Amino acid sequence: MDRLLADCRARLGFDLLGNTWNPVVLYALGAGPRRPRELRAEIGGISAKVLTETLRRLEAYALVERRAYAEAPPRVEYALTELGRTLLEPIEALGRWSATHGDAFVEAQGWDD
């Protein structure tokens, strides 16, 4: 990986994780299938509209699958695909980095003033 050109494969991952909600939703689904209401409660701070947009985007990327159940009332769950599960390790690694270095990062930015 010499350069990060627009068509570089590494850019795919950087762009994917660069969206604020993509890694958060993927991580939340790491514990198993969830209904949208459960995801919103677990994540916090995400609107229903943004969650729906994020789930649709991740579904289009083949990282998440939507399961609709023919019940009354109708039930929909989202789950990680095999490909989606492969992103849990890098997301967890970034979480560990944040836990270890987050205070120093915030201090350097002057955000804790």
Side-chain angles (χ1 to χ4, degrees):
M1 183 172 73
D2 294 328
R3 296 175 29 196
L4 299 178
L5 302 174
D7 61 348
C8 172
R9 293 286 189 228
R11 286 275 305 266
L12 296 172
F14 298 144
D15 290 345
L16 176 68
L17 296 181
N19 178 288
T20 301
W21 294 110
N22 286 352
V24 174
V25 171
L26 290 168
Y27 183 78
L29 288 172
R34 297 278 190 281
R35 297 176 78 170
R37 182 179 17 143
E38 295 169 331
L39 281 170
R40 282 192 65 212
E42 186 174 341
I43 293 169
I46 187 171
S47 70
K49 177 181 184 266
V50 171
L51 177 59
T52 298
E53 291 170 351
T54 303
L55 288 166
R56 287 181 181 161
R57 180 174 48 254
L58 294 173
E59 187 179 10
Y61 293 163
L63 301 173
V64 168
E65 64 182 356
R66 181 182 188 270
R67 298 175 184 158
Y69 297 90
E71 300 174 347
R75 177 171 57 110
V76 174
E77 288 182 339
Y78 290 88
L80 293 177
T81 63
E82 286 295 320
L83 183 60
R85 278 191 278 284
T86 65
L87 280 168
L88 290 177
E89 184 179 337
I91 291 169
E92 289 169 353
L94 184 57
R96 286 190 301 274
W97 180 90
S98 299
T100 302
H101 303 288
D103 289 342
F105 184 80
V106 168
E107 185 180 321
Q109 301 306 308
W111 293 344
D112 61 350
D113 293 341

